Amino acid sequence: MRVRDWQDILAEVVENDRDPDGWRAVGGDRAGGIGEDIYLGHPSVGVYQLKTYAKNPYEVQGVGAEVARKLDDEIEPLFPDEGSGLFGVQTPPEDENEAEQTASELEQVVKAHAEAPTTSDAFFEDVMDALDSPAYGPMEFDTYGRPEAMDDLTDAFEEAEELLDAELDDLIDDSVERGFY
């Protein structure tokens, strides 16, 4: 297992071109320390674990790793088919023309859903398609704690958990200046 910057892990997810709506995620508070834990899973891609913390309102730092090459029968049920929310990973437009084209497509999606009966899930999926999102799907996230599935995932990937915790703690110690001594 290779520990990398969390943004490198997201770049790998973005570069993957398999079934963008097949992704699932589970996230919440970090079990031991400041920050958040997030697991991203896809049946044909695998499982990634991210540990992040907000250094300040404008900068998030973290580490991550690929912890499984596929979702097996034990791990797959830990990822939601429906979650407390939805997530999407986006890439910025490459140039002004692409930005204008994307904005136009998004405008058409919003108009279509405003004029016809629809569901929030259908709207979200159409928006992700218009934005050409490389990864999106249901997410179970607890902003004040940890979903039950997080503890099971942590147990399943115990070695990765310990290594990533140590790496994130080192990153926090190196980048956080204490105000009190």
Side-chain angles (χ1 to χ4, degrees):
M1 178 180 61
R2 194 176 77 170
V3 175
R4 297 179 283 163
D5 185 86
W6 74 285
Q7 291 178 327
D8 293 342
I9 299 294
L10 287 180
E12 189 171 317
V13 168
V14 165
E15 291 168 6
N16 187 302
D17 61 355
R18 294 185 199 142
D19 187 25
D21 64 344
W23 289 90
R24 307 290 179 256
V26 178
D29 283 344
R30 197 169 147 223
I34 64 171
E36 298 81 32
D37 285 342
I38 300 172
Y39 288 90
L40 299 171
H42 190 285
S44 63
V45 178
V47 179
Y48 296 93
Q49 182 180 5
L50 303 171
K51 288 187 173 284
T52 61
Y53 83 100
K55 181 176 179 179
N56 61 52
Y58 305 103
E59 183 179 356
V60 174
Q61 294 186 351
V63 294
E66 180 180 28
V67 295
R69 294 190 190 276
K70 68 175 192 163
L71 289 179
D72 62 24
D73 292 339
E74 286 182 38
I75 298 169
E76 189 167 12
L78 302 176
F79 286 92
D81 288 328
E82 295 180 7
S84 58
L86 300 165
F87 81 99
V89 178
Q90 296 303 128
T91 56
E94 291 185 19
D95 57 29
E96 189 174 329
N97 289 336
E98 184 181 343
E100 289 175 2
Q101 177 66 29
T102 300
S104 175
E105 290 174 20
L106 187 57
E107 182 180 12
Q108 294 304 315
V109 166
V110 171
K111 283 182 181 178
H113 280 271
E115 295 171 357
T118 188
T119 65
S120 58
D121 288 342
F123 178 66
F124 177 75
E125 187 156 333
D126 288 348
V127 166
M128 292 294 103
D129 286 342
L131 294 174
D132 198 23
S133 177
Y136 62 93
M139 178 178 208
E140 186 175 343
F141 193 88
D142 188 341
T143 57
Y144 299 107
R146 294 170 61 84
E148 286 182 30
M150 289 273 310
D151 293 330
D152 294 336
L153 286 164
T154 298
D155 291 343
F157 302 112
E158 187 174 349
E159 187 177 311
E161 176 73 18
E162 290 174 10
L163 182 58
L164 289 170
D165 261 344
E167 290 287 330
L168 186 63
D169 286 340
D170 288 346
L171 184 64
I172 291 169
D173 286 343
D174 290 344
S175 66
V176 175
E177 297 178 13
R178 310 250 185 247
F180 301 98
Y181 294 95

